[in-house]
Amino acid sequence: MSDNEAKTPETYFEDLDLSDDVLDALYDMRFERCTPVQAACIPPILEGHDVLGVAQTGTGKTAAYLLPLLTLLARDPHPADAVNCLVLAPTRELARQIDQALQGFAYYTNINAVAVYGGNDGVRYEQERRSLQAGADIVLATPGRLITHIQLGTLDLSRTTHLVLDEADRMLDMGFAEDILSIVKQMPKERQTILFSATMPPRIAELARTVMRDPVEIEIAVSKPAEHINQSVYLCREADKTLVLQHLFKQRPPERVILFASSKQKVKELAIVLHRKGYNARAMHSDLSQPERDEVMQLFRARQVDLLVATDIVARGIDIDDITMVINYDAPHDAEDYVHRIGRTARAGRAGAAVTLIGERDRYALQNIERTLDIKIPRAELPEGVQPPSGDARSADKSRRDGKGGRGGRHDRKRGGKGPSGDGRKQQPKTETPAQPKAEQQEGQPKPAKRRHRGGRKHRRGGAKAQGEQPAQPAQE
């Protein structure tokens, strides 16, 4: 296993050996420069190597594997009646995000894809069954739903030549280890395997040894919060957390805010309490049906909901670039979950705030997060009338002297004003462009000098699409 520490060179997509169809879609989306993980991963994937990528969310990893796989499927002969590429994701939300990105990247190709995940009715299941039996270039799936199709004999993976395990660490955390191994056993040994994980614990290394062959290992910013997230901690009593929330929202009315809680019951209760206090809040948790979850996310994306109260179900799957603040009502269980939660804000080069409320039961979790990440999160000054947890009076007094409202932790920006990974900007597509996958290309960077694209990509395509016809919308999930 070779180490390939990725740098941040000025790599353009057109410098890579991607197919013209893929480059045309990228040009229409105004994607020009690669993020570091894309520049490091695309070449070895195009060469057919197994790739083990260690990269946190928001670094562009979905495009890092979809773009070369679309190119390989377009170039290499493959059976039309087989599942040629399987992409596994831990949650429905992430599977949907990948599906949306794929529809944009594959807009000019003839690649067909099937999304397979739970939470749908019998009609959707029957559609999945027919599509799988007819064959698909790419199947996007969650492990549980895929196992169901395998057990019922509606899915054949014996000719699948490409396997992607996205957020493998999360899948193991959710108990999918045996399912993953069962799925891999259905596939030929001669295949290309791509595995992405936010961290590299021993169990991920063991999984890689089991399912991969001499992978190229690429490591990008492992489990470190983005530098421009303004982190702060309120040390308070559990009973006072709601008062701290009101203090926060009085200073800064909630808009594009995600509030994470430890359980779905607490999410339900918080959403009700906040709604009664006049805040435009909705709950997001696993007890909601898929149509209900879709409705909540659609309202939040459309800015008809200001405050999303959620469990960790959306920590990795949500794909919205302009979240202004993340609030941890309860401290996450470990540092990895903390990074993924607060990684919902300050995406695509933007600034953002992350506030964590630490009650009596959260102190050990805070110590673990700070020790693992080797950071000291600034303590914020408690609002008037709110007391510190029992035994924390001296710490709270020090936080009042040092905190000034918790605005510490501001880091100097490096790389001459570029974003956290030094990559290119994404502009809004014109009306005739493909559906935009929002999470994978960083924004907010100065636009590079105008480049001459191959043959003037925007005008190469004839017919209705080039003359303003709207692309097909993402399929209703």
Side-chain angles (χ1 to χ4, degrees):
M1 191 177 291
S2 62
D3 285 328
N4 183 8
E5 184 71 21
K7 308 298 182 182
T8 56
E10 292 293 313
T11 302
Y12 287 80
F13 287 110
E14 288 207 345
D15 298 331
L16 304 175
D17 193 23
L18 297 169
S19 72
D20 280 350
D21 289 330
V22 169
L23 289 172
D24 283 341
L26 291 172
Y27 177 71
D28 282 349
M29 295 174 185
R30 303 300 188 266
F31 287 2
E32 297 191 8
R33 289 189 286 183
C34 302
T35 67
V37 71
Q38 292 159 4
C41 290
I42 290 175
I45 294 176
L46 287 173
E47 293 169 2
H49 296 290
D50 284 8
V51 170
L52 174 58
V54 182
Q56 69 182 45
T57 187
T59 55
K61 57 185 175 59
T62 303
Y65 63 77
L66 284 182
L67 299 179
L69 287 175
L70 286 169
T71 297
L72 291 175
L73 289 172
R75 289 178 181 172
D76 300 336
H78 55 273
D81 60 343
V83 172
N84 294 285
C85 176
L86 172 63
V87 179
L88 287 179
T91 65
R92 285 175 268 179
E93 282 69 30
L94 181 57
R96 292 181 53 140
Q97 173 184 329
I98 298 168
D99 189 22
Q100 290 172 349
L102 178 60
Q103 291 185 54
F105 297 145
Y107 183 69
Y108 290 125
T109 73
N110 294 319
I111 301 298
N112 67 82
V114 178
V116 176
Y117 44 82
N120 301 300
D121 57 22
V123 174
R124 174 59 187 265
Y125 180 85
E126 180 63 19
Q127 292 173 342
E128 292 176 357
R129 184 189 68 80
R130 292 178 181 176
S131 298
L132 291 173
Q133 290 186 330
D137 292 311
I138 299 176
V139 170
L140 313 169
T142 52
R145 184 72 159 207
L146 201 72
I147 286 290
T148 300
H149 280 286
I150 291 175
Q151 292 173 341
L152 294 177
T154 57
L155 174 63
D156 177 15
L157 297 176
S158 63
R159 293 181 288 171
T160 304
T161 52
H162 306 276
L163 169 65
V164 178
L165 303 175
D166 198 352
E167 298 200 358
D169 53 340
R170 186 64 170 173
M171 284 194 278
L172 297 189
D173 287 342
M174 296 173 68
F176 287 131
E178 291 186 7
D179 287 347
I180 292 172
L181 294 177
S182 298
I183 291 167
V184 170
K185 287 180 181 178
Q186 305 292 320
M187 303 176 68
K189 293 183 178 180
E190 296 296 321
R191 66 176 184 275
Q192 182 181 32
T193 303
I194 300 161
L195 186 152
F196 276 100
S197 176
T199 58
M200 187 50 66
R203 56 184 178 167
I204 290 295
E206 177 62 28
L207 177 64
R209 286 192 293 269
T210 303
V211 304
M212 307 183 82
R213 297 176 301 166
D214 191 26
V216 175
E217 185 172 338
I218 295 164
E219 186 170 333
I220 305 283
V222 182
S223 286
K224 292 290 183 180
E227 291 183 355
H228 47 291
I229 298 178
N230 183 19
Q231 303 175 61
S232 60
V233 163
Y234 283 87
L235 300 174
C236 61
R237 294 181 300 186
E238 192 73 25
D240 288 338
K241 286 186 175 181
T242 304
L243 296 177
V244 176
L245 284 182
Q246 291 179 267
H247 167 73
L248 286 171
F249 297 154
K250 184 177 180 180
Q251 290 183 323
R252 181 179 179 180
E255 183 180 2
R256 316 302 283 160
V257 172
I258 301 179
L259 173 64
F260 285 109
S262 58
S263 68
K264 57 189 176 185
Q265 184 59 37
K266 188 172 289 187
V267 164
K268 296 174 185 178
E269 294 170 356
L270 278 171
I272 292 172
V273 168
L274 291 169
H275 186 74
R276 286 176 177 171
K277 290 184 178 297
Y279 298 108
N280 184 11
R282 289 288 295 269
M284 181 72 162
H285 50 79
S286 58
D287 278 353
L288 298 179
S289 67
Q290 189 63 46
E292 289 172 328
R293 291 161 75 173
D294 292 344
E295 179 187 9
V296 172
M297 289 307 303
Q298 183 178 1
L299 291 172
F300 189 59
R301 290 176 190 276
R303 296 176 176 268
Q304 296 180 38
V305 169
D306 297 323
L307 178 58
L308 186 66
V309 187
T311 57
D312 280 311
I313 192 170
V314 298
R316 298 195 185 212
I318 192 172
D319 176 25
I320 299 176
D321 286 341
D322 58 348
I323 302 300
T324 61
M325 178 184 291
V326 169
I327 301 173
N328 295 310
Y329 190 86
D330 304 298
H333 293 301
D334 54 43
E336 178 187 343
D337 287 337
Y338 176 78
V339 170
H340 282 289
R341 281 188 183 184
I342 71 173
R344 299 306 93 205
T345 190
R347 294 171 67 92
R350 292 182 171 90
V355 177
T356 303
L357 310 185
I358 300 297
E360 295 88 344
R361 294 173 292 182
D362 300 314
R363 285 178 289 186
Y364 176 78
L366 175 63
Q367 293 171 4
N368 180 52
I369 290 169
E370 293 185 322
R371 181 176 61 253
T372 303
L373 298 180
D374 192 25
I375 60 175
K376 181 71 172 178
I377 305 174
R379 272 50 174 172
E381 181 179 359
L382 290 174
E384 197 70 32
V386 176
Q387 298 298 318
S390 174
D392 275 6
R394 285 188 301 174
S395 298
D397 183 62
K398 185 176 185 302
S399 75
R400 290 180 187 276
R401 295 195 304 269
D402 299 342
K404 293 296 182 183
R407 291 189 59 81
R410 185 187 297 269
H411 297 273
D412 291 333
R413 297 190 63 178
K414 301 179 181 179
R415 304 188 188 98
K418 294 181 181 179
S421 55
D423 52 289
R425 68 177 293 180
K426 175 183 72 176
Q427 299 178 352
Q428 293 298 322
K430 295 183 179 180
T431 56
E432 73 273 21
T433 58
Q436 181 105 352
K438 299 177 183 176
E440 292 306 314
Q441 185 73 14
Q442 304 289 336
E443 290 189 5
Q445 314 308 325
K447 184 176 179 180
K450 188 174 182 180
R451 291 169 57 85
R452 183 181 181 87
H453 294 271
R454 298 180 191 176
R457 293 197 174 278
K458 181 180 177 185
H459 306 290
R460 282 184 53 201
R461 299 286 173 175
K465 288 180 182 178
Q467 298 173 17
E469 177 185 302
Q470 295 293 327
Q473 296 300 312
Q476 296 299 317
E477 315 301 347

